[in-house]
Amino acid sequence: IEESVAEEVTEESVAEEVTEPIDHARAPLPRARGTTQGVRTMGAVPAVTDASFDQDVLKSSKPVLVDYWADWCTPCKQIAPIIEELAAEHGDKISFVKLDTNDNTAVPTQYGIMSIPTLQLFVGGEVATQIVGARSKGAILKALNEYL
Protein backbone atom coordinates (compact mmCIF):
# COMPACT_ATOMS: atom_id res chain seq x y z
CA ILE A 1 0.00 0.00 0.00
CA GLU A 2 1.38 3.35 -1.06
CA GLU A 3 1.37 6.01 1.62
CA SER A 4 0.36 9.51 0.54
CA VAL A 5 1.83 12.59 2.08
CA ALA A 6 -0.45 15.59 2.53
CA GLU A 7 1.05 18.90 1.49
CA GLU A 8 0.41 21.91 3.69
CA VAL A 9 -1.56 24.49 1.77
CA THR A 10 -0.78 28.11 2.54
CA GLU A 11 -1.96 31.34 0.95
CA GLU A 12 1.51 31.74 -0.57
CA SER A 13 1.52 28.27 -2.14
CA VAL A 14 -1.95 28.82 -3.57
CA ALA A 15 -0.96 32.24 -4.94
CA GLU A 16 2.09 30.70 -6.64
CA GLU A 17 -0.08 28.10 -8.39
CA VAL A 18 -2.64 30.58 -9.77
CA THR A 19 -1.47 31.64 -13.20
CA GLU A 20 -4.71 32.14 -15.12
CA PRO A 21 -7.09 35.10 -14.77
CA ILE A 22 -9.91 34.53 -12.31
CA ASP A 23 -13.50 34.49 -13.53
CA HIS A 24 -14.94 36.52 -10.63
CA ALA A 25 -18.50 35.42 -11.32
CA ARG A 26 -17.51 31.78 -10.69
CA ALA A 27 -14.48 32.12 -8.45
CA PRO A 28 -14.51 31.23 -4.77
CA LEU A 29 -14.81 34.29 -2.61
CA PRO A 30 -11.37 35.72 -1.76
CA ARG A 31 -10.51 37.28 1.56
CA ALA A 32 -10.37 41.06 1.54
CA ARG A 33 -8.68 43.49 3.92
CA GLY A 34 -9.87 44.63 7.30
CA THR A 35 -12.77 42.86 8.97
CA THR A 36 -14.09 41.60 5.64
CA GLN A 37 -13.74 37.90 4.88
CA GLY A 38 -15.18 35.86 2.03
CA VAL A 39 -16.03 38.93 -0.04
CA ARG A 40 -16.17 38.92 -3.82
CA THR A 41 -14.16 41.68 -5.46
CA MET A 42 -12.79 42.61 -8.87
CA GLY A 43 -8.99 42.74 -9.02
CA ALA A 44 -6.64 44.03 -6.36
CA VAL A 45 -8.77 46.91 -5.04
CA PRO A 46 -9.98 45.79 -1.59
CA ALA A 47 -13.63 45.10 -0.90
CA VAL A 48 -15.79 46.60 1.81
CA THR A 49 -19.15 45.32 3.02
CA ASP A 50 -22.14 46.74 4.83
CA ALA A 51 -20.52 45.45 8.04
CA SER A 52 -17.06 46.96 7.42
CA PHE A 53 -18.14 50.22 5.75
CA ASP A 54 -18.16 52.32 8.91
CA GLN A 55 -14.62 51.29 9.91
CA ASP A 56 -13.05 51.10 6.44
CA VAL A 57 -14.67 54.18 4.87
CA LEU A 58 -16.35 56.54 7.31
CA LYS A 59 -13.59 56.40 9.94
CA SER A 60 -10.70 56.50 7.48
CA SER A 61 -8.07 59.16 8.09
CA LYS A 62 -7.68 59.79 4.35
CA PRO A 63 -10.24 60.20 1.54
CA VAL A 64 -11.85 56.96 0.33
CA LEU A 65 -13.26 56.36 -3.16
CA VAL A 66 -16.01 53.73 -3.03
CA ASP A 67 -16.79 51.95 -6.30
CA TYR A 68 -20.32 50.50 -6.15
CA TRP A 69 -20.43 47.57 -8.60
CA ALA A 70 -22.05 44.22 -9.46
CA ASP A 71 -20.79 41.24 -11.42
CA TRP A 72 -23.61 41.54 -13.99
CA CYS A 73 -22.83 45.22 -14.71
CA THR A 74 -20.88 45.64 -17.97
CA PRO A 75 -19.98 49.32 -17.39
CA CYS A 76 -18.67 48.31 -13.94
CA LYS A 77 -16.36 45.81 -15.61
CA GLN A 78 -15.28 48.48 -18.10
CA ILE A 79 -14.15 50.94 -15.42
CA ALA A 80 -12.59 48.29 -13.14
CA PRO A 81 -9.15 48.56 -14.82
CA ILE A 82 -9.30 52.36 -14.49
CA ILE A 83 -10.01 52.08 -10.76
CA GLU A 84 -7.11 49.60 -10.45
CA GLU A 85 -4.77 52.06 -12.22
CA LEU A 86 -5.90 54.98 -10.08
CA ALA A 87 -5.43 52.94 -6.91
CA ALA A 88 -1.89 52.03 -7.98
CA GLU A 89 -1.04 55.62 -8.95
CA HIS A 90 -2.79 57.55 -6.15
CA GLY A 91 -3.31 55.05 -3.33
CA ASP A 92 -1.00 57.07 -1.11
CA LYS A 93 -3.45 59.99 -1.12
CA ILE A 94 -6.83 58.27 -1.57
CA SER A 95 -7.94 54.78 -0.49
CA PHE A 96 -9.81 52.89 -3.21
CA VAL A 97 -12.39 50.24 -2.27
CA LYS A 98 -15.19 48.32 -3.98
CA LEU A 99 -18.62 47.47 -2.63
CA ASP A 100 -20.51 44.62 -4.31
CA THR A 101 -24.13 45.77 -4.45
CA ASN A 102 -25.38 42.20 -4.99
CA ASP A 103 -24.20 41.11 -1.55
CA ASN A 104 -24.42 44.44 0.29
CA THR A 105 -27.66 46.38 -0.01
CA ALA A 106 -27.77 48.49 3.18
CA VAL A 107 -25.00 50.97 2.32
CA PRO A 108 -26.13 51.59 -1.29
CA THR A 109 -29.68 52.16 -0.02
CA GLN A 110 -28.46 54.49 2.74
CA TYR A 111 -26.48 56.59 0.25
CA GLY A 112 -29.15 56.62 -2.46
CA ILE A 113 -27.27 54.54 -5.04
CA MET A 114 -29.82 54.10 -7.83
CA SER A 115 -27.47 53.25 -10.71
CA ILE A 116 -24.14 51.51 -11.05
CA PRO A 117 -21.34 52.04 -11.49
CA THR A 118 -21.34 54.86 -8.99
CA LEU A 119 -18.20 56.27 -7.44
CA GLN A 120 -18.45 58.20 -4.18
CA LEU A 121 -15.51 59.98 -2.58
CA PHE A 122 -15.80 60.13 1.21
CA VAL A 123 -13.81 62.75 3.10
CA GLY A 124 -14.12 62.88 6.88
CA GLY A 125 -17.01 60.40 6.76
CA GLU A 126 -19.09 62.51 4.34
CA VAL A 127 -19.69 62.23 0.59
CA ALA A 128 -17.52 64.93 -1.01
CA THR A 129 -18.20 64.06 -4.64
CA GLN A 130 -20.10 61.49 -6.68
CA ILE A 131 -19.76 60.16 -10.21
CA VAL A 132 -22.62 58.14 -11.70
CA GLY A 133 -21.98 55.96 -14.75
CA ALA A 134 -18.84 54.82 -16.50
CA ARG A 135 -16.33 57.62 -17.08
CA SER A 136 -12.89 57.92 -18.60
CA LYS A 137 -9.78 57.97 -16.44
CA GLY A 138 -9.39 61.68 -17.22
CA ALA A 139 -12.92 62.48 -16.09
CA ILE A 140 -12.45 60.58 -12.84
CA LEU A 141 -9.10 62.28 -12.22
CA LYS A 142 -10.69 65.68 -12.81
CA ALA A 143 -13.36 64.90 -10.19
CA LEU A 144 -10.71 63.74 -7.70
CA ASN A 145 -8.14 66.44 -8.49
CA GLU A 146 -8.79 68.48 -5.36
CA TYR A 147 -7.84 65.46 -3.20
CA LEU A 148 -4.75 64.30 -5.14
Side-chain angles (χ1 to χ4, degrees):
I1 298 176
E2 189 173 312
E3 191 175 310
S4 77
V5 178
E7 182 181 83
E8 182 175 316
V9 178
T10 64
E11 286 184 22
E12 291 79 20
S13 67
V14 171
E16 289 173 2
E17 293 176 19
V18 177
T19 57
E20 295 182 23
I22 296 173
D23 178 355
H24 292 282
R26 294 191 170 119
L29 302 178
R31 273 194 261 151
R33 73 176 186 126
T35 58
T36 319
Q37 288 192 352
V39 176
R40 192 171 32 185
T41 187
M42 293 172 66
V45 173
V48 293
T49 65
D50 288 341
S52 69
F53 191 84
D54 184 61
Q55 183 64 40
D56 293 342
V57 177
L58 301 181
K59 293 181 179 175
S60 176
S61 60
K62 66 180 180 178
V64 180
L65 183 80
V66 179
D67 177 9
Y68 297 89
W69 72 283
D71 58 2
W72 50 263
C73 170
T74 301
C76 297
K77 293 175 185 177
Q78 291 171 336
I79 69 163
I82 295 171
I83 301 303
E84 296 284 333
E85 287 177 24
L86 292 173
E89 295 167 6
H90 303 287
D92 58 327
K93 298 175 193 83
I94 297 175
S95 295
F96 291 79
V97 299
K98 291 185 166 284
L99 189 138
D100 183 348
T101 59
N102 284 330
D103 298 333
N104 302 279
T105 58
V107 169
T109 300
Q110 178 181 351
Y111 287 95
I113 305 303
M114 302 297 287
S115 179
I116 56 174
T118 291
L119 306 174
Q120 286 184 325
L121 182 70
F122 286 81
V123 178
E126 300 291 328
V127 177
T129 192
Q130 176 172 293
I131 302 167
V132 179
R135 297 287 186 267
S136 68
K137 184 177 178 180
I140 296 170
L141 279 171
K142 185 176 179 180
L144 302 178
N145 191 45
E146 178 181 343
Y147 305 96
L148 295 176

